[in-house]
Amino acid sequence: SALYTTQNAQFTLTNTLNDADSIYVIRLEVVAGTGCGDVTTDTVVVHPVPLASFVLDSLDLCADSPLSVTGLTNNSVYDVVEGWLWTVDNGGVLDDDTAFEPTLSFPDNQSGVDTTYTIELFVESQYGCIDSTSATIDVYTRPIAEFSMDSVVCGPDSVLVVNNSSYDTGWSWSVSDATVLISDASAETPVIIFPSNTTQDSINYVVELVSFSAEGCSDTTSQVVTVYPQPLVLYTGVTDSCDTLTISFSNTSDPYNGEDTSTMSFVWTVTGPLGVDTISGNGLTYSFINDTLTDVSYVIGLEGSTQHGCVEEYVDSLVIYPDPVAQVDVATTLACAPFVINDTVINAIDFPDAVDSFVWYLDTSGTGLSFDSLIYSSTDSAFLSTYTIAQENDSIAIRLVTLNV
């Protein structure tokens, strides 16, 4: 209580409570000079001012797509509330700005700069008394996950990833199939190793990157990599023969993946004694020549490429044998009777790579028109028979036929 002895008094009435009225009784006592007096009283009610108070569920959080969300706890102290009013700056969103405990949402942020938001609460009592308070929250920027790599490969293949992410300090890589290996799943730029595609169709793999900021905020991106099968490259028509041989090879290649051979490109190579011939095209007709006295080998290569860049090669070879040569070494063609003809008189000249067998024929008429008598056949170049011309002025003819088989 307070006592004032003046005619006019001024009072300061307070209310330190936030949820109850403070009631004051004011008593005025008047005394006249005659000693007569009177007393009157009145009551004054001081209503409480509410206490605005709240606590955010988090004082910092990562931005998220499309929004990052947090809640709060309203700890305000009040008697009877007329209303609540919430505000947030910098583009923050309240689901209900007059709710007791609204939900806060913040837009995604991948700018590389953190954003601080101020949340303010105004509390108004039924008597119009108002209090306010505020708090801040930091929303960290998210990194931007981005990478590039070959999207079409032919397994097996090791593909280097180019990491183009921003605002990041850590990484986590994964692939949709465990058969795909990653050199280091937490490296900035790992090597991803795709296995062979042993099927006849393409296989899709999803490569995923999660990038992290220093505050632990993340962003995720992915890319599809298609691994195509290696084509079947094959041809037929190879055969060994004697000079000269012309072959039209049949290209029986298959690109797989539901495609036909017309989608492929081919390069033929023929390697022979004179070097390498290179011919482009689906088919090949080639003449193989041997103008020597030894075997000549040719190597025929076919390289096929699919429209996806997958390359395979098939190689085969053939031998062109030399044409046989029939030549004789004759010591003499004239002699006195009896003329004994044996290996001292005549022998075949041996060409080991061109001749495999020697066949000798005899024409007793001496005209060289009727070689109807087979002397013998041998693999030896020496004349292994003996024939005698007993009469003077008689003659015979001997024919040599050589074979290369």
Side-chain angles (χ1 to χ4, degrees), residues 12 101 264 276 399:
T12 300
E101 290 181 340
M264 299 181 67
V276 180
R399 170 180 284 178

PDB file of all heavy atoms in Angstrom, residues 12 101 264 276 399:
ATOM      1  N   THR A  12       1.326   4.587  -9.935  1.00  0.00           N
ATOM      2  CA  THR A  12       1.858   3.674 -10.961  1.00  0.00           C
ATOM      3  C   THR A  12       1.483   2.266 -10.544  1.00  0.00           C
ATOM      4  O   THR A  12       1.980   1.742  -9.540  1.00  0.00           O
ATOM      5  CB  THR A  12       3.381   3.792 -11.087  1.00  0.00           C
ATOM      6  OG1 THR A  12       3.726   5.131 -11.463  1.00  0.00           O
ATOM      7  CG2 THR A  12       3.917   2.808 -12.130  1.00  0.00           C
ATOM      8  N   GLU A 101       0.874 -23.450 -32.946  1.00  0.00           N
ATOM      9  CA  GLU A 101       2.204 -23.963 -33.285  1.00  0.00           C
ATOM     10  C   GLU A 101       2.224 -24.309 -34.772  1.00  0.00           C
ATOM     11  O   GLU A 101       1.965 -25.443 -35.171  1.00  0.00           O
ATOM     12  CB  GLU A 101       2.545 -25.200 -32.438  1.00  0.00           C
ATOM     13  CG  GLU A 101       2.789 -24.873 -30.974  1.00  0.00           C
ATOM     14  CD  GLU A 101       3.150 -26.124 -30.155  1.00  0.00           C
ATOM     15  OE1 GLU A 101       2.836 -27.235 -30.622  1.00  0.00           O
ATOM     16  OE2 GLU A 101       3.725 -25.974 -29.054  1.00  0.00           O
ATOM     17  N   MET A 264      26.204 -52.489 -89.292  1.00  0.00           N
ATOM     18  CA  MET A 264      27.622 -52.575 -88.946  1.00  0.00           C
ATOM     19  C   MET A 264      28.488 -52.040 -90.087  1.00  0.00           C
ATOM     20  O   MET A 264      28.057 -51.921 -91.230  1.00  0.00           O
ATOM     21  CB  MET A 264      28.021 -54.038 -88.667  1.00  0.00           C
ATOM     22  CG  MET A 264      27.287 -54.677 -87.509  1.00  0.00           C
ATOM     23  SD  MET A 264      27.825 -56.401 -87.230  1.00  0.00           S
ATOM     24  CE  MET A 264      29.524 -56.162 -86.678  1.00  0.00           C
ATOM     25  N   VAL A 276      50.011 -55.693 -97.112  1.00  0.00           N
ATOM     26  CA  VAL A 276      48.648 -55.743 -96.575  1.00  0.00           C
ATOM     27  C   VAL A 276      47.712 -54.975 -97.497  1.00  0.00           C
ATOM     28  O   VAL A 276      47.977 -53.812 -97.839  1.00  0.00           O
ATOM     29  CB  VAL A 276      48.577 -55.147 -95.155  1.00  0.00           C
ATOM     30  CG1 VAL A 276      47.151 -55.213 -94.623  1.00  0.00           C
ATOM     31  CG2 VAL A 276      49.531 -55.868 -94.216  1.00  0.00           C
ATOM     32  N   ARG A 399      58.154 -89.475-120.341  1.00  0.00           N
ATOM     33  CA  ARG A 399      57.422 -88.290-119.846  1.00  0.00           C
ATOM     34  C   ARG A 399      57.424 -88.279-118.335  1.00  0.00           C
ATOM     35  O   ARG A 399      57.201 -89.303-117.694  1.00  0.00           O
ATOM     36  CB  ARG A 399      55.987 -88.269-120.353  1.00  0.00           C
ATOM     37  CG  ARG A 399      55.122 -87.193-119.680  1.00  0.00           C
ATOM     38  CD  ARG A 399      53.720 -87.191-120.194  1.00  0.00           C
ATOM     39  NE  ARG A 399      53.680 -86.560-121.526  1.00  0.00           N
ATOM     40  CZ  ARG A 399      52.555 -86.450-122.252  1.00  0.00           C
ATOM     41  NH1 ARG A 399      51.406 -86.947-121.780  1.00  0.00           N
ATOM     42  NH2 ARG A 399      52.561 -85.864-123.418  1.00  0.00           N
TER      43      ARG A 399
END
